[in-house]
């Protein structure tokens, strides 16, 4: 089991920077493989923002490349967001994937999300 708690959202102005943090806890934290940030804006589907697997290079959505940076430690995941735009406003969710015993299958864990509002 993995519990994820996000923090760092809020109301910011366009062009500013924000850092999101996700703290992971539980018996499965040492088994987490891919961790990532996803976001969901009102009326839209949840989308991947950035992911990073243990020991591998990060993966970013095209819309955030060059502006956002994802990083992780054993139990924490960060998202540094620079040059924020109004279209970045959304609820941001932390995700962790823990491999199952059957190769190629994962259990997904999600946090409750943190809301980011970007004013123009």
């Amino acid at each position: 089991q993995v519990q994820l708690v996000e923090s760092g959202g809020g109301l910011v102005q366009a062009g500013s920077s924000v850092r999101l943090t996700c703290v992971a806890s539980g018996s499965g934290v040492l088994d987490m493989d891919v961790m990532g940030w996803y976001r969901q804006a009102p009326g839209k589907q949840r989308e991947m923002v950035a992911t990073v697997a243990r020991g591998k290079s990060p993966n970013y959505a095209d819309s955030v490349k060059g502006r956002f940076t994802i990083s992780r430690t054993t139990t924490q995941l960060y998202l540094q967001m620079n040059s924020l735009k109004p279209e970045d406003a959304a609820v941001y969710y932390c995700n962790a994937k823990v491999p199952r015993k059957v190769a190629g299958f994962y259990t997904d864990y999600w946090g409750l999300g943190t809301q980011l509002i970007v004013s123009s």
Side-chain angles (χ1 to χ4, degrees):
Q1 292 289 332
V2 174
Q3 293 80 45
L4 303 172
V5 179
E6 306 95 335
S7 62
L11 173 62
V12 299
Q13 288 188 330
S16 62
S17 298
V18 167
R19 189 193 200 202
L20 302 183
T21 298
C22 171
V23 178
S25 61
S27 60
V29 291
L30 296 181
D31 298 321
M32 296 186 300
D33 185 1
V34 182
M35 295 187 76
W37 290 97
Y38 292 72
R39 67 187 181 186
Q40 187 168 18
K44 295 187 177 181
Q45 290 188 333
R46 189 173 299 188
E47 63 176 359
M48 185 276 291
V49 176
T51 62
V52 60
R54 284 186 299 192
K56 296 187 178 180
S57 298
N59 179 47
Y60 296 97
D62 289 342
S63 59
V64 306
K65 283 181 181 177
R67 299 189 298 122
F68 291 11
T69 302
I70 189 171
S71 59
R72 64 182 287 182
T73 65
T74 301
T75 59
Q76 297 195 34
L77 183 71
Y78 306 99
L79 186 67
Q80 178 66 42
M81 303 185 290
N82 300 327
S83 303
L84 284 164
K85 304 175 181 180
E87 51 263 42
D88 293 319
V91 177
Y92 283 74
Y93 296 92
C94 178
N95 170 264
K97 298 185 186 299
V98 175
R100 295 187 182 182
K101 291 183 179 179
V102 177
F105 288 84
Y106 294 82
T107 298
D108 274 296
Y109 294 93
W110 294 93
L112 296 179
T114 183
Q115 185 168 24
L116 178 69
I117 302 171
V118 183
S119 63
S120 57

